[in-house]
Amino acid sequence: MPFYEVFDHTDHEFQAALRVVSCIESNGHEAWLVGGCVRDAILGREISDIDIATSASWEQVESYAQEAGLTTHRTGIAYGTITVCVPLEDDRADNKSVYAFEVTTYRSEGTYGDGRHPDSVSFCATIQEDLSRRDFTMNALAWHPTRGLVDPYGGTDDIERKVIRAVGNPIERFSEDALRIMRACRFESQLGFAIESATLQAMREKKHRLTHVAIERIVKELDAFVLGDYVRQALLDCVDVISPILPELAAIKGFPQNTPYHCYDILEHTAYAMENVEASLLLRWAALLHDIGKPAAHFTREDGISHFFGHAQMGATMTEGICLRLGFPKKFGEQLVTLVAMHDDRLEPAPKPIKRVLMRLDGDEDLFRALCALKRADSLAHAPDFRQRAKSADEAIRVFEEMKERNEAWCIKDLAINGDDLIAIGYEQGPKLGAILNDALEEVVNERIENERGALLSWVQQRLDPKTT
Ligand code: ATP
Ligand code: MG
């Protein structure tokens, strides 16, 4: 491909990045677009961020940018990085107010002792040296509008062959920074590339070093991994490598499910379930973890059939531990645990059972939709004869949407009475009010009382003074 065709020249962000490049170069220095943005441009993928590498020091970049009227932020000066912002020229481009570019002085770096930052940063003279510190050949690329592409490690060939290959000696590269191991896994999941054999071998050899990497760096990569379009194959290929972080997954690999419902081992089933949910963090994580309780819950009957009674609850308890370990936000963790705990519960696609489930979910409609999506994906990953159960999850969503149109009640705020009504008829203020309303809701959900003010008021009145009946 001719180098000038790499980027979409009509893209506003790309044009803004070129402004930063020319601002630096008009002061006698070199600057290049570099790394993942060049890879994604070659692949025709959407570019997430455009990074710039330069021979200028951060102080020089700062002053050149400011002279040109651009704002700068000292986002990583210890590592030679400064962020340069270019205002939008017209508001059609997107809803950002500025385009921000990380501009980093050419550098070669050493080991990551604390798993967060390189222990030492040494700056270097050429773009070639800068590219030699980068993780994979497909990311060791630089591009310039007139000087063209710099590709010292055959990155474009590897992109064409869909290969993830470490730059230089893979054992050394993963010893310097073990996060690169996780990055390779997530690139496989995002791009569908295969990891070259010496690189994969080195990942396996160095995987224990993942436990020294800062957990937030790992989680960022894991999140991107679970969201990838090619996550099914990537999970099967990378589960051993990820095992120091998620040993629960190594335990489901090759674990047989001798039941008529299944045709895959637990890991394969999990990988298919992930593929069958949309790419949202909650759904992909829930699909990844939904069956991790199975090995612990497993027993085999005399006839050789496997049973996994209680695996969902077991999995939910294990998921709680994982959420703590990975530092997930509290609400996200709670939702994940709920989905894992409830994924195997029967869900009859009829109003009453659906309302009961909604009550258990505190009326969280999005979580209900997520539960149905998870159950659907789980069914689709069963043996062919049992996949039609997915229809029942679709049907549950349909029934639920109809219920919404009828404004039916499934949480306290939907009730035709509230706490003030209880106080007005003589209840005392306090936590008991919530419990009474909850009991009233249960009556309504179980269709023993209409969600109607008069009927509810007389029911609560009776509870206040049973003698009046
Ligand atoms: P994304 O599409 O997620 O942005 P990316 O490859 O651009 O992927 P970034 O984190 O934006 O990832 O990093 C930009 C570039 O910096 C990479 O393409 C790579 O050249 C280099 N890089 C990033 N992290 C590392 C690392 N841990 N080790 C070596 N090089 C790295
Ligand atoms: Mg990037």
Side-chain angles (χ1 to χ4, degrees), residues 169-221:
N169 180 327
I171 295 272
E172 283 171 20
R173 306 322 309 282
F174 295 130
S175 306
E176 285 162 7
D177 178 12
L179 183 75
R180 293 168 186 160
I181 297 172
M182 276 312 308
R183 281 175 57 88
C185 299
R186 75 106 154 161
F187 283 126
E188 175 175 354
S189 180
Q190 285 181 323
L191 305 175
F193 287 17
I195 301 170
E196 175 269 332
S197 65
T199 303
L200 185 59
Q201 181 55 34
M203 287 162 66
R204 293 201 173 115
E205 235 168 271
K206 292 289 164 191
K207 66 177 181 183
H208 59 277
R209 297 186 62 92
L210 280 172
T211 54
H212 300 293
V213 177
I215 196 67
E216 66 273 13
R217 295 179 81 208
I218 298 262
V219 168
K220 188 165 163 263
E221 298 302 328

Side-chain angles (χ1 to χ4, degrees), residues 302-314:
E302 295 102 62
D303 58 6
I305 302 285
S306 299
H307 286 279
F308 301 98
F309 296 126
H311 78 273
Q313 201 43 59
M314 180 72 75

Side-chain angles (χ1 to χ4, degrees), residues 34-37 39-40 45 48-49 51 109 112 133-135 139-140 173 177 179-180 183 186-187 190 217 220:
V34 75
C37 67
R39 174 200 72 221
D40 286 342
R45 274 169 55 90
S48 64
D49 45 9
D51 296 317
E109 65 208 354
Y112 284 63
R133 70 155 168 107
R134 293 175 185 267
D135 49 5
N139 293 341
R173 306 322 309 282
D177 178 12
L179 183 75
R180 293 168 186 160
R183 281 175 57 88
R186 75 106 154 161
F187 283 126
Q190 285 181 323
R217 295 179 81 208
K220 188 165 163 263

